Amino acid sequence: MLSMTLQCLNKDFVKMLGEHAKFKALSLENILTASDGTRKILFRLDDGLVIETVVIPCDRGRTTVCVSSQVGCAMNCQFCFTGRQANIFHIETLMGLKRHLSTAEIVEQAVFAQRLLTHEVGSFTNVVFMGMGEPLQNIDSVIKAADIMVHDQGLHFSPRKVTVSTSGLVPQLKRFLHESNCALAVSLNATTDEVRNWIMPINRKYNLGLLLQTLREELGLKNSYKVLFEYVMLDGVNDSVDDAYRLIDLVQGIPCKINLIQFNPHCGSLFRPTSTEKMIKFRNILAEAKCVVFMRYSKGDDQMAACGQLGKPGAIQTPLIRVPEQFKMAVNA
Ligand code: SF4
């Protein structure tokens, strides 16, 4: 197909393209379909590494494509499968990051997945950067990819429908808010530094106070822009009534929505999901305080396609962080 297209072009132009551009596409490795219709697509990269892209069809005509931004992840969030896989090829690069994806490799995931699944799920309506990797650790490529996704000569999504998620890299988060119109999601997951230091080690560098104050200041400068806080609910760890009240205090003055997410269990994690009843109670406390709050149930978990489940089952796992004494009962440590 590509060679036919090139034959139609002026020879000098083709020569110039050959000198300045590379035609590299992802190749399809596999598609796994979960019982709820979620698809996990495995793409092989030029260098042989494999990434995962997830397509989540929803009722109400919405279909979301979740793209990866890195191969593996360095953040080591304790509840996440991706972040806990060590790099089996370069064991010295701890905590599972193999490499960043290029802008082309990110955009191509959405384009290729759309081409593969158009007849089954229709057109994609939303893009989320919530696959493998910490998007803002690869900020140059991610901002360019998001720009292409919203450009009218690119994929032409509304900026409100393209969401970049971060575990809380504060300097990069500031840069993203200055340079992109796309939506931002922050993976919060705890209401105290003690818990967040344990389950999201990035908090030791950029703690809750700094993260939230930065958002308060930066969003004060933007017009009608809301950050989405994601809160994965872990039984006995971050789901108490006290947590709900602390969360209300923490987000005071930040234009935001809060997404309560049911934890997706996987091998290699100590945690258990919060029960639905407890999630509803937590949600109601936030709603009574006039927070905009949603609950998101697990999707695609029977094919390891759910949030926090991407990565290669059976790969070497990075060491777990020591469990604080008061949570040992909750995680059976
Ligand atoms: S939750 Fe996101 S940032 Fe954390 S380890 Fe997993 S992929 Fe990385």
Side-chain angles (χ1 to χ4, degrees):
M1 174 80 167
L2 181 62
S3 60
M4 276 175 63
T5 310
L6 290 177
Q7 278 167 18
C8 305
L9 297 173
N10 172 296
K11 274 191 193 139
D12 291 340
F13 182 61
V14 173
K15 184 165 173 277
M16 188 271 289
L17 273 182
E19 285 163 5
H20 295 282
K22 275 187 184 171
F23 295 102
K24 284 201 301 185
L26 311 174
S27 54
L28 178 64
E29 185 77 6
N30 202 357
I31 304 183
L32 304 168
T33 304
S35 53
D36 61 11
T38 300
R39 271 67 159 196
K40 176 156 91 170
I41 306 173
L42 282 74
F43 288 122
R44 190 166 290 281
L45 303 167
D46 217 31
D47 55 7
L49 294 171
V50 173
I51 53 166
E52 298 178 1
T53 306
V54 179
V55 176
I56 311 148
C58 250
D59 35 3
R60 290 175 285 129
R62 208 176 67 181
T63 299
T64 299
V65 58
C66 174
V67 296
S68 294
S69 54
Q70 297 178 313
V71 187
C73 184
M75 295 296 121
N76 200 20
C77 300
Q78 296 291 286
F79 51 85
C80 173
F81 191 68
T82 312
R84 296 216 48 258
Q85 293 185 298
N87 181 343
I88 49 175
F89 303 108
H90 303 99
I91 202 80
E92 70 279 8
T93 56
L94 285 175
M95 298 184 198
L97 176 64
K98 287 174 192 161
R99 72 166 172 87
H100 295 321
L101 296 184
S102 68
T103 300
E105 288 166 336
I106 298 169
V107 175
E108 181 70 5
Q109 292 173 63
V111 174
F112 202 156
Q114 179 69 86
R115 210 180 298 145
L116 287 168
L117 296 175
T118 298
H119 296 304
E120 294 169 49
V121 301
S123 299
F124 297 162
T125 55
N126 296 61
V127 183
V128 294
F129 286 68
M130 296 182 188
M132 296 166 76
E134 160 53 65
L136 294 190
Q137 206 185 27
N138 183 16
I139 189 165
D140 292 332
S141 298
V142 163
I143 287 183
K144 280 189 214 145
D147 282 351
I148 293 168
M149 284 171 182
V150 301
H151 198 283
D152 52 10
Q153 291 179 345
L155 307 194
H156 208 179
F157 285 96
S158 152
R160 285 183 302 113
K161 304 284 183 185
V162 176
T163 303
V164 172
S165 176
T166 181
S167 57
L169 299 180
V170 168
Q172 290 90 334
L173 173 154
K174 273 170 111 166
R175 185 180 151 199
F176 177 80
L177 288 170
H178 287 209
E179 294 182 19
S180 177
N181 285 334
C182 291
L184 178 72
V186 174
S187 198
L188 200 61
N189 307 325
T191 63
T192 65
D193 281 324
E194 186 188 18
V195 172
R196 204 162 188 271
N197 285 346
W198 163 37
I199 63 174
M200 299 186 72
I202 189 64
N203 196 69
R204 298 167 191 198
K205 191 161 183 191
Y206 306 115
N207 66 24
L208 275 171
L210 178 67
L211 173 63
L212 297 170
Q213 188 52 28
T214 304
L215 284 167
R216 211 167 271 118
E217 288 167 9
E218 293 295 328
L219 297 196
L221 305 171
K222 278 177 106 81
N223 235 346
S224 52
Y225 187 99
K226 283 187 175 161
V227 66
L228 175 68
F229 286 120
E230 299 191 287
Y231 198 93
V232 177
M233 300 205 64
L234 307 170
D235 188 36
V237 172
N238 63 3
D239 61 353
S240 68
V241 169
D242 286 348
D243 280 304
Y245 285 115
R246 270 195 298 268
L247 184 53
I248 293 165
D249 287 343
L250 285 173
V251 303
Q252 280 300 321
I254 304 176
C256 66
K257 296 176 275 186
I258 300 169
N259 218 355
L260 303 177
I261 301 167
Q262 196 170 47
F263 173 61
N264 300 304
H266 52 79
C267 64
S269 167
L270 294 169
F271 303 103
R272 288 188 305 257
T274 297
S275 67
T276 304
E277 297 71 38
K278 211 168 169 191
M279 280 181 78
I280 291 172
K281 188 172 171 192
F282 196 97
R283 190 265 320 265
N284 289 348
I285 295 172
L286 299 186
E288 276 162 25
K290 306 269 180 285
C291 294
V292 182
V293 58
F294 305 95
M295 274 170 57
R296 198 174 91 205
Y297 295 106
S298 180
K299 284 209 147 224
D301 54 348
D302 56 335
Q303 285 297 352
M304 289 291 281
C307 182
Q309 288 187 328
L310 302 187
K312 187 171 165 221
I316 296 172
Q317 299 268 300
T318 55
L320 283 167
I321 293 174
R322 194 180 61 78
V323 180
E325 207 54 47
Q326 69 272 36
F327 296 108
K328 285 194 168 159
M329 290 268 285
V331 297
N332 284 332

